[in-house]
Amino acid sequence: MPSSLKISVIIPVYDEAKTIRSCIANVKECCGENSEIIIVDGSADGSTLSAVDDEGVMCLSSPPGRAVQMNIGAGKTAGDILLFLHADTTLPPKADALVRNALCAPCATAGAFKLGFDTPSRTMKFIAFIADLRCRMERVPYGDQAIFIPKSTFMELGGFPEIPLMEDVELFQSIKKRRLEIVILKESITTSARRYLATGPLRCAFRNTCLRLLHRFGVRAETLVALYRRRKVQS
């Protein structure tokens, strides 16, 4: 895919004032000049946007909800390729070239990076290994893997379904139903393990697996998010 194609990096945030500056610096380093950054804040106080001191970054406010935020950000982009990034996730070097090259593959429609965590914990490495194995078998990556897709394809698919959970899974399932190619890169992003460590790594991984299975059997997203939140409170 030509290097002239612009990459729009969309970062949905909620109370990420502590991480947003390092996230912006990482994107600028790894995506080069032919890219743009759009931050979409779902918190009412706009605390994350207040921490952004870069005039070259587009800052938007949005109702809360990751899918809603990402769709709003996508609608404001000027790029040819959309890359959806979590604020606590770090891209690998030359991420822009990796994304463009991945979408050059015959029939390639969308993709994501391999999952990695910012800790040397053997437990977290095992969780990342299992997650990568599942992803390569199912070809359905999660949002914390820095998913990417041509803007034209994303708009044709109708964007993310605006549901409170599993919006990433449903987007990629719709791509699979069309028998379109999904690329999983061998290069890893590095995402924060803070939520796993706060809940307990194995407990958190088990919870996520259960939610995914319930989703596969048709349980509504609203029910899943209620279970997710209740589990967090109990933890």
Side-chain angles (χ1 to χ4, degrees), residues 95-108:
D96 56 341
L98 293 172
V99 168
R100 292 189 184 99
N101 290 340
L103 293 177
C104 273
C107 302

Side-chain angles (χ1 to χ4, degrees), residues 48-178:
T48 305
L49 298 185
S50 299
V52 177
D53 58 359
D54 190 326
E55 295 182 356
V57 174
M58 184 186 299
C59 294
L60 304 173
S61 295
S62 162
R66 184 169 283 158
V68 175
Q69 291 170 242
M70 291 190 291
N71 284 343
I72 287 175
K76 297 293 184 179
T77 57
D80 306 285
I81 300 170
L82 307 180
L83 192 159
F84 297 94
L85 182 69
H86 290 187
D88 60 359
T89 296
T90 302
L91 293 170
K94 299 182 179 179
D96 56 341
L98 293 172
V99 168
R100 292 189 184 99
N101 290 340
L103 293 177
C104 273
C107 302
T109 302
F113 289 83
K114 181 180 177 181
L115 181 65
F117 291 104
D118 61 349
T119 172
S121 163
R122 290 184 180 180
T123 301
M124 293 307 302
K125 287 183 178 180
F126 175 74
I127 290 172
F129 171 78
I130 295 299
D132 182 56
L133 188 64
R134 176 206 63 77
C135 185
R136 293 185 186 280
M137 290 177 63
E138 293 185 345
R139 317 307 288 183
V140 178
Y142 290 156
D144 56 3
Q145 292 176 242
I147 62 179
F148 50 86
I149 184 171
K151 182 178 179 179
S152 58
T153 304
F154 182 78
M155 294 304 180
E156 181 184 341
L157 291 168
F160 287 102
E162 295 188 351
I163 53 178
L165 201 67
M166 300 290 177
E167 75 284 341
D168 43 6
V169 172
E170 292 209 2
L171 176 68
F172 277 93
Q173 285 179 337
S174 67
I175 293 173
K176 285 184 66 177
K177 285 178 182 177
R178 297 186 180 206

